[in-house]
Structures are given as structure tokens and as C-alpha cells.
Amino acid sequence: MSEAADRLAEVQAAMAQAAARAQRRAEDICLIAVSKTHDAAAIRPLIAAGQRHFGENRVQETAAKWPALREETPDIVLHLIGQLQSNKAEDAVALFDAIHSVDRSSLVRALARACEKLGKRPRLFVQVNVGDEAQKGGCPVCDLPALLDEAKAAGLAIEGLMAIPPAAVEPAPYFALLDELAERHGLPLRSMGMSVDYETAAMLGATHVRIGTALFGARG
Ligand SMILES: *Cc1c(COP(=O)(O)O)cnc(C)c1O
């Protein structure tokens, strides 16, 4: 087995254990391998090991890297997990199967136009700034109801919420908050948990975890 396959097996085992501790099924948690900054040579061993969901944070990097990989493996599923500029909405809708970073009205409008024009409907998550951090992306918690209403009015089906909790503090309360917000708004999906905290997220209701470092090693 390749080193990548070993790491993937370790993460899957840890996730299955965490899910079991919360009486959840591991199959209900989608593992997204975050491949940002890593090249095709680093990604291929994971694909060979059976991984299909991948996450990227930049439209341009994705456009350069993934079309060729997708030609080799057509059932790849690509997730955009980074901030998206409205003027790149069309490129994003063309490239990605899911967008986790819907966070403002202007982007909702741009995505609605892009989906209409391309006749494509990526799965959508609203990113919520659960820690109320000035420097972080995401919709403020207090603006979430209005943004969800705007998305609905624009014909966009939002299926879940995404969050990145504040660094260096216990993430569990933030995961619990995201779960509660999703529940309150009747949204089935929760994108939460990264390399350092995916087990906690898996226990607290994550349906999608986004894992980079634990699979690929440190980014250069
Ligand atoms: C980079 C990134 C991740 C993966 O982080 P790791 O700590 O490497 O697992 C997850 N989510 C988002 C939004 C990211 O930008």
C-alpha cells in the first residue's frame, strides 16, 4: 500500500470509531480529501486507494489541475471550500459539484445566474462565521435567516451549513452551534471538521469532513 493509502485507512478508521461512539454510521459522513496546493502526482495515489471526494479552495488552481484527473477518473466529486468571488461564480458552477462557501447576497445572486445559465446545480452550503471573527469569511450568525430566504427567493436550494471554528480553542461548542443552526432551518447537511478536529465533528453531526494535512502531510 502507498503512504497515501495508509493515511487514508487511518483517517477512515478513526472516523468510524468516532461515529460509532456517537451511535452514528460512518457511511453517513463524507470524507473530503482537501488537495489544495498538492499536485496530480500527490493526488493520484489517493484516487487509486478509492478516494473520490476532493476539496479545493481556488477556482483557478482547480481549473488547472482537475480536468485531466477527471478524465482519468470520471466519478470524482469536487468540493469548493474556499471563499468565492462573485465574478468567478460561473467558473465555480462549471467546475464544482458542491460549493461550501456561499456567504453573502451578492454571491447568492451570482450563483443563481450561473446555475440558470449553465443548467447545472451544484450542492450548496452556506458558510457561517460561528466564532464571529472579524477576519474570517462566512455569514454572520444573525444574518443567516435572511440569507437563506434570499437564496430561496433566487431559486437556489441550500442543503447545508459549513463552518471553520476559531483556531486554538475547543471546537465542540462551535460544531454544536452549527448543528443546531442547521436543525433549526431544516437543512440536512453539516460541513465541519478538519485534520485536527474531525473526530469531534463526526461525533457532533458532521455529514462532510474536510481533511487535508492528515492525508497529504503538511502543505509547503
Ligand atoms: C485547508 C482547509 C481544510 C483542510 O485543513 P487541514 O487542516 O489541512 O485538514 C479544511 N477546510 C477548509 C475550509 C480549508 O481551507
Side-chain angles (χ1 to χ4, degrees):
M1 266 208 313
S2 68
E3 198 179 331
D6 282 343
R7 285 175 173 157
L8 179 61
E10 275 172 33
V11 168
Q12 283 169 333
M15 211 160 76
Q17 267 190 8
R21 263 182 275 151
Q23 295 190 298
R24 301 190 61 210
R25 304 182 329 151
E27 311 91 86
D28 294 337
I29 309 172
C30 172
L31 166 54
I32 300 170
V34 176
S35 49
K36 64 190 185 196
T37 77
H38 298 289
D39 62 13
I43 293 169
R44 275 197 194 94
L46 273 187
I47 297 176
Q51 179 65 27
R52 290 297 178 268
H53 289 257
F54 288 87
E56 290 283 345
N57 65 341
R58 287 171 199 277
V59 169
Q60 229 167 335
E61 183 181 339
T62 306
K65 220 158 72 178
W66 279 98
L69 285 166
R70 259 188 161 158
E71 211 146 288
E72 300 166 11
T73 313
D75 61 341
I76 291 289
V77 182
L78 287 183
H79 299 255
L80 176 61
I81 60 168
Q83 281 190 357
L84 177 59
Q85 293 173 317
S86 297
N87 63 6
K88 299 225 174 89
E90 204 173 306
D91 293 336
V93 168
L95 281 166
F96 289 95
D97 304 289
I99 297 174
H100 294 234
S101 48
V102 182
D103 63 356
R104 59 193 188 279
S105 305
S106 56
L107 183 56
V108 160
R109 289 193 298 272
L111 285 169
R113 279 194 301 272
C115 288
E116 175 82 8
K117 181 168 170 190
L118 301 179
K120 228 192 128 199
R121 302 220 153 256
R123 173 163 269 184
L124 299 175
F125 297 74
V126 167
Q127 183 179 348
V128 184
N129 187 353
V130 283
D132 198 19
E133 296 172 282
Q135 79 286 3
K136 218 168 238 172
C139 168
V141 171
C142 60
D143 294 347
L144 178 63
L147 189 64
L148 290 173
D149 284 347
E150 285 178 48
K152 199 174 201 179
L156 284 187
I158 303 290
E159 291 184 72
L161 301 180
M162 180 272 237
I164 308 168
V169 297
E170 170 58 45
Y174 298 97
F175 294 150
L177 172 61
L178 194 77
D179 182 56
E180 151 69 17
L181 290 169
E183 186 71 31
R184 191 184 306 168
H185 293 285
L187 303 171
L189 306 181
R190 293 111 169 95
S191 167
M192 56 190 200
M194 315 191 347
S195 291
V196 290
D197 54 19
Y198 66 89
E199 289 160 281
T200 306
M203 287 192 283
L204 291 171
T207 61
H208 293 70
V209 294
R210 312 176 306 265
I211 302 180
T213 311
L215 293 172
F216 289 99
R219 287 179 289 276

